[in-house]
Amino acid sequence: MNQASSSLPPAATPYQRLAARGITLPASPAPVANFVSHVIVGNLLFLSGQGPVEVGGVKHTGKVGHDVSVGDAYRHAQLTGVNLLAVIHEALGDLGRVTRVVKLFGMVNAASDFNAHPQVINGCSDLMVDVFGVPGVHARSAVGFASLPDQITVEIEAIIAFE
């Protein structure tokens, strides 16, 4: 966890943890094709892939390992995590309902010789642990692709358990 969230009491809410990081949740990004942002089955929330899109609509694009550094891509994965949190908030009405981040599937728009996919997707993973604490620890895949929609640097989908 980062310094700000580690200084909060253990009972801090996800919203207090976000505020400690200086993060305000944006509106949930609208789907860009023929799909919905999430589906609920039982007590599982399945989130469609989100990308590194800023509040104003700017998309972070490029090939990680070629024209985008690992550090920049880490921050893009963190921004993608914020967008996932916005969808969770919209779907559940309260991030406090999350009982577990079950799984993240992280995709990196990577140069063919790039091999630091896990370090990139850590941007999202670290955010989930900072926001939810132990329930934020999750299973994960981090893989590279030759391209992603609109050449975004990362795309991440998630499965969330809730009450």
Side-chain angles (χ1 to χ4, degrees), residues 107-132:
M107 298 159 270
V108 179
N109 184 0
S112 61
D113 61 345
F114 185 73
N115 63 7
H117 309 89
Q119 290 85 341
V120 169
I121 302 303
N122 278 348
C124 185
S125 293
D126 292 347
L127 176 66
M128 294 300 164
V129 173
D130 276 357
V131 170
F132 296 112

Side-chain angles (χ1 to χ4, degrees), residues 52 59-63 68 109 146-154:
K59 296 176 185 174
H60 293 280
T61 61
K63 191 69 71 179
V68 177
N109 184 0
S147 69
L148 291 174
D150 294 331
Q151 292 303 318
I152 57 175
T153 53
V154 298

